Amino acid sequence: MLTPCNCNALRQATRRVTQLYDRVLAPSGLRVTQYALLSEVERLGPIALLPLAEAMVMDRATLGHNIRPLETAGYLSVSVGKDRRSRVVSLTDAGRKIVAQVKPLWRQAQAIFETEIPPAAAAGLREVLGRIASSEFARG
């Protein structure tokens, strides 16, 4: 008997959770992936693309693809870095405003999640997933 695939199980669960959050955040016009990116830029402050990609566990090309519509919407600005080769991503005033507006919807999605997965189990799940998402996972 084959062991169930961990990767497939994680991807299926991620798609289901993303559907939940996207449904709750829909009135804002943002998807949860966009809200997560805006929130991370808000948390980290102006940040170069490479460290932001690492924080988001994305490659730089995927990050660029995700930043463009948020920049077009006026939520993010991308400027030339100090060394002229790098790009720095910043949250605009409109970006701060939309993050504040969406936060209650995000909290609602969190609450729905925690009706299915109790808060203590959800905290344990986040701990395990954090270990998996870390840069140390499966490197050796």
Side-chain angles (χ1 to χ4, degrees):
M1 180 173 166
L2 285 176
T3 302
C5 178
N6 295 312
C7 184
N8 189 46
L10 281 167
R11 291 177 62 88
Q12 288 173 333
T14 299
R15 285 191 291 272
R16 185 67 69 202
V17 172
T18 297
Q19 290 169 358
L20 162 67
Y21 280 71
D22 281 348
R23 186 172 62 249
V24 175
L25 270 58
S28 73
L30 288 182
R31 298 179 57 92
V32 70
T33 51
Q34 294 172 315
Y35 177 74
L37 180 55
L38 292 170
S39 295
E40 197 70 2
V41 174
E42 179 182 51
R43 184 179 74 82
L44 297 172
I47 183 170
L49 285 174
L50 189 55
L52 180 57
E54 290 171 0
M56 296 295 297
V57 191
M58 287 182 180
D59 60 68
R60 192 170 165 186
T62 301
L63 178 64
H65 176 75
N66 284 281
I67 285 174
R68 277 188 283 286
L70 296 171
E71 185 180 19
T72 300
Y75 300 142
L76 292 176
S77 67
V78 180
S79 58
V80 175
K82 290 180 183 173
D83 70 3
R84 313 287 294 155
R85 292 177 299 165
S86 67
R87 300 291 178 261
V88 175
V89 181
S90 302
L91 202 61
T92 64
D93 289 340
R96 278 186 278 288
K97 184 177 178 183
I98 194 73
V99 167
Q101 288 173 347
V102 176
K103 196 167 286 189
L105 295 173
W106 175 83
R107 285 188 180 122
Q108 181 183 349
Q110 289 278 100
I112 293 168
F113 181 94
E114 291 184 356
T115 63
E116 298 290 330
I117 307 295
L125 178 61
R126 284 189 304 274
E127 182 180 336
V128 169
L129 294 173
R131 273 187 40 217
I132 294 169
S134 81
S135 61
E136 303 303 313
F137 181 77
R139 293 282 178 158

